[in-house]
Amino acid sequence: MALKKIGMVKFLNDSTVDPMDSEHTLYTEDCLGLKAMEDTGQLVYLALKGDHPQLSEEWFYAHIIPFLE
Protein backbone atom coordinates (compact mmCIF):
# COMPACT_ATOMS: atom_id res chain seq x y z
CA MET A 1 0.00 0.00 0.00
CA ALA A 2 3.03 2.27 0.22
CA LEU A 3 3.27 2.25 -3.58
CA LYS A 4 1.70 5.15 -5.43
CA LYS A 5 0.82 3.01 -8.44
CA ILE A 6 1.44 -0.50 -9.77
CA GLY A 7 1.04 -1.76 -13.32
CA MET A 8 0.16 -5.34 -14.16
CA VAL A 9 1.13 -6.44 -17.68
CA LYS A 10 -0.74 -9.25 -19.41
CA PHE A 11 0.70 -10.76 -22.58
CA LEU A 12 -2.27 -11.73 -24.74
CA ASN A 13 -0.42 -14.59 -26.47
CA ASP A 14 1.36 -15.88 -23.35
CA SER A 15 2.76 -19.40 -23.66
CA THR A 16 4.77 -19.24 -20.40
CA VAL A 17 2.11 -18.61 -17.75
CA ASP A 18 -0.49 -21.39 -17.86
CA PRO A 19 -3.33 -20.77 -17.36
CA MET A 20 -2.84 -17.22 -18.61
CA ASP A 21 -5.02 -15.67 -15.90
CA SER A 22 -3.43 -17.59 -13.00
CA GLU A 23 -1.54 -14.51 -11.81
CA HIS A 24 -4.91 -12.99 -10.94
CA THR A 25 -5.08 -15.44 -8.00
CA LEU A 26 -3.02 -12.90 -6.06
CA TYR A 27 -5.72 -10.35 -6.79
CA THR A 28 -8.70 -12.50 -5.84
CA GLU A 29 -7.10 -13.59 -2.57
CA ASP A 30 -5.99 -9.96 -1.96
CA CYS A 31 -2.80 -11.22 -0.32
CA LEU A 32 -0.84 -8.23 -1.60
CA GLY A 33 -3.54 -5.61 -1.14
CA LEU A 34 -4.16 -5.40 -4.90
CA LYS A 35 -7.93 -5.15 -4.47
CA ALA A 36 -7.52 -2.18 -2.12
CA MET A 37 -5.05 -0.61 -4.57
CA GLU A 38 -7.55 -1.02 -7.41
CA ASP A 39 -10.31 0.53 -5.31
CA THR A 40 -8.14 3.64 -4.82
CA GLY A 41 -6.99 3.85 -8.47
CA GLN A 42 -3.43 2.70 -7.73
CA LEU A 43 -3.67 -0.51 -9.81
CA VAL A 44 -3.35 -0.21 -13.58
CA TYR A 45 -3.89 -3.09 -16.01
CA LEU A 46 -1.83 -3.15 -19.19
CA ALA A 47 -2.13 -5.66 -22.03
CA LEU A 48 -0.24 -6.19 -25.22
CA LYS A 49 -0.15 -8.69 -28.06
CA GLY A 50 2.75 -11.06 -27.92
CA ASP A 51 4.30 -13.84 -25.91
CA HIS A 52 5.78 -13.56 -22.43
CA PRO A 53 7.85 -11.34 -22.09
CA GLN A 54 8.10 -9.97 -25.61
CA LEU A 55 7.71 -6.24 -25.71
CA SER A 56 9.40 -3.58 -27.71
CA GLU A 57 11.66 -0.94 -26.25
CA GLU A 58 9.21 1.64 -27.56
CA TRP A 59 6.30 0.02 -25.66
CA PHE A 60 8.43 -0.23 -22.50
CA TYR A 61 9.31 3.46 -22.58
CA ALA A 62 5.74 4.49 -23.36
CA HIS A 63 3.99 2.33 -20.74
CA ILE A 64 6.45 1.30 -18.00
CA ILE A 65 8.81 4.24 -17.56
CA PRO A 66 5.97 6.61 -16.55
CA PHE A 67 5.45 4.44 -13.44
CA LEU A 68 9.05 5.14 -12.43
CA GLU A 69 8.82 8.92 -12.72
Side-chain angles (χ1 to χ4, degrees), residues 21-53:
D21 290 329
S22 65
E23 66 274 9
H24 293 283
T25 301
L26 292 173
Y27 174 82
T28 57
E29 294 176 4
D30 202 23
C31 52
L32 297 176
L34 295 177
K35 173 86 171 86
M37 291 183 80
E38 182 177 44
D39 291 345
T40 60
Q42 294 171 273
L43 181 61
V44 178
Y45 294 99
L46 304 168
L48 72 150
K49 294 180 182 178
D51 198 0
H52 188 109

